[in-house]
Amino acid sequence: MKINEHFLDLSENYLFSTVGAKVSAFQKAHPDRKVIKLSIGDVTCPLAPAVIAAMHRAVEDLAHAESFKGYGPDRYCYGYDVLIDSIKGSYARKGVRISSDEVFISDGAKSDLGNLLDLFSADNAVLIPDPVYPAYVDSNRMAGRRVLFADANEENGFLPMPDEGVDADLIYICSPNNPTGAAYNRQQLKAWVDYAIRKGAVILYDAAYEYFIEDPTLPRSIFEIEGARECAIEICSYSKTAGFTGVRCGYTVVPKELNRGGASLNRLWARRQSTKFNGASYIAQMGAAAVFTEEGEREIAANIDYYRGNAKTIAHCLEELGIWYTGGKNSPYLWMKCPNGMKSWEFFDHLLERANVVGTPGSGFGKNGEGFFRLTAFGTADSTLEACQRMRELLK
Ligand code: MLT
């Protein structure tokens, strides 16, 4: 028996587990201190009333023989029509037409971002921005895939552009970006689409934060860009859009025009999902179907505005302290430069020990993240205000 030795190349823990362990150790040593966590992007607002009502109705359905549901419908890989129709409606409002059999319901973006790799040979070269959401790099390293990095830095506004000299087969793009909060405009995304088509590459487009886009000129889906249906897969989530981090539901769109190696990736993904996945739960899907109703959209917009208020609170604090940052607009993340030339983990310890505030060290997202630090706007308004007050006192 041989294990997959690529796992041995990974760091011992996933980034957010390392942060969590450090914070738990600190809390154990200082049980009297009130620690404020602005680290992992986990939501704090309760689910929208429309979602809760739909989930209650779904529970009731499961309680009676005549409305009981077992496995989801096989036709669309266990996605219910009502949910798929609501997703199609949401795309139509962005001017994007998709068909029902291009939508695959998932238990969240993170799983699909890793699972999609089943479709691609391990000897493909993967292009990933640095810094980046660590799950992209780790899930490729687990398969032993060669990872190339696209440098994101202050000079390019943390929005790297394609380099003709680099031959990539798979390309990860997250916009608005985790961790930097930077968002591509249409021309920039078009350049990536054109590059992918020239190289015969596939873009895995992580749109988990699209609902935070305020600027109406920015694209919210890669399928708003001409040519994207021939080169991109879009991965979406209800986690940040509608507070589903604990409920678990998302969706992935694989267009039917996307063919590689003589095969339709839409069909390969359907084959993969029907073999290895039994669908998101009925209750989660019914809750998700309420998100894009008129009432649901109004309610989730109020929650997103609440987080935007937190982002503004943090942004004002950083501005007052004269600290350089990106994000916070069109994004729930603020990506700040560590003060006084501190390294990322050094600042993490300083902030935890002296202000009892937790963020995420930028270096955990890649080498270009060294010297930077990520704060999230997903906390409560009160704890965000208090964290900022403590940062002002510590860093003024
Ligand atoms: C983050 O903090 O980067 C995200 O919450 C992690 C995730 O979405 O899995």
Side-chain angles (χ1 to χ4, degrees), residues 153-155 157-158 179-183 214 308-339 347 371-377 388 391:
N153 47 39
E154 258 181 280
E155 288 69 57
F158 287 96
T180 67
E214 290 174 85
R308 283 186 181 134
N310 290 343
K312 284 200 181 86
T313 301
I314 303 172
H316 286 155
C317 168
L318 297 177
E319 279 157 21
E320 265 175 55
L321 291 167
I323 293 176
W324 185 96
Y325 72 94
T326 57
K329 289 189 195 80
N330 305 307
S331 163
Y333 295 124
L334 292 98
W335 180 249
M336 60 176 278
K337 208 172 208 174
C338 298
F347 183 58
F372 291 88
F373 199 73
R374 194 194 76 176
L375 294 169
T376 160
C388 287
M391 284 201 290

Side-chain angles (χ1 to χ4, degrees), residues 34-38 44 306 310 313-314 356-357 376-391:
K34 185 183 157 222
V35 173
I36 300 177
K37 294 180 192 164
L38 301 181
T44 49
Y306 175 90
N310 290 343
T313 301
I314 303 172
N356 309 149
V357 171
T376 160
F378 285 122
T380 65
D382 286 347
S383 65
T384 305
L385 278 168
E386 191 177 336
C388 287
Q389 195 45 37
R390 293 186 199 175
M391 284 201 290

Side-chain angles (χ1 to χ4, degrees), residues 156-343:
N156 58 26
F158 287 96
L159 292 169
M161 295 304 295
D163 173 351
E164 276 317 312
V166 172
D167 288 323
D169 302 307
L170 279 174
I171 302 161
Y172 281 82
I173 298 178
C174 176
S175 182
N177 186 265
N178 179 10
T180 67
Y184 282 112
N185 66 28
R186 275 171 209 283
Q187 293 71 24
Q188 290 168 321
L189 269 193
K190 176 79 174 115
W192 276 111
V193 165
D194 291 346
Y195 167 84
I197 292 173
R198 276 195 302 278
K199 299 283 179 186
V202 172
I203 296 174
L204 299 179
Y205 190 78
D206 181 350
Y209 300 96
E210 55 131 338
Y211 263 76
F212 285 84
I213 292 180
E214 290 174 85
D215 178 345
T217 67
L218 295 178
R220 287 182 40 185
S221 162
I222 194 158
F223 299 124
E224 292 175 48
I225 308 299
E226 198 198 328
R229 287 181 60 87
E230 285 123 62
C231 68
I233 293 175
E234 181 156 282
I235 300 100
C236 303
S237 167
Y238 288 100
S239 288
K240 315 298 157 88
T241 302
F244 272 47
T245 51
V247 178
R248 310 306 312 149
C249 196
Y251 50 98
T252 288
V253 176
V254 189
K256 284 192 275 193
E257 286 90 329
L258 182 56
N259 298 302
R260 291 292 182 273
S264 152
L265 295 193
N266 177 290
R267 292 334 299 151
L268 296 190
W269 183 239
R271 185 71 176 83
R272 190 268 175 212
Q273 288 300 78
S274 55
T275 307
K276 293 196 185 180
F277 185 59
N278 261 337
S281 87
Y282 175 67
I283 300 169
Q285 291 201 45
M286 292 306 108
V291 169
F292 298 142
T293 58
E294 220 181 295
E295 201 188 350
E297 288 242 3
R298 200 177 49 244
E299 291 167 355
I300 60 157
N303 288 356
I304 286 173
D305 277 347
Y306 175 90
Y307 297 133
R308 283 186 181 134
N310 290 343
K312 284 200 181 86
T313 301
I314 303 172
H316 286 155
C317 168
L318 297 177
E319 279 157 21
E320 265 175 55
L321 291 167
I323 293 176
W324 185 96
Y325 72 94
T326 57
K329 289 189 195 80
N330 305 307
S331 163
Y333 295 124
L334 292 98
W335 180 249
M336 60 176 278
K337 208 172 208 174
C338 298
N340 307 320
M342 272 188 254
K343 290 195 177 289

Side-chain angles (χ1 to χ4, degrees), residues 91-111:
Y91 272 103
R93 292 193 282 285
K94 292 173 228 169
V96 173
R97 286 176 70 86
I98 52 169
S99 60
S100 298
D101 52 2
E102 293 176 324
V103 183
F104 296 85
I105 306 302
S106 70
D107 62 357
K110 189 183 193 180
S111 327

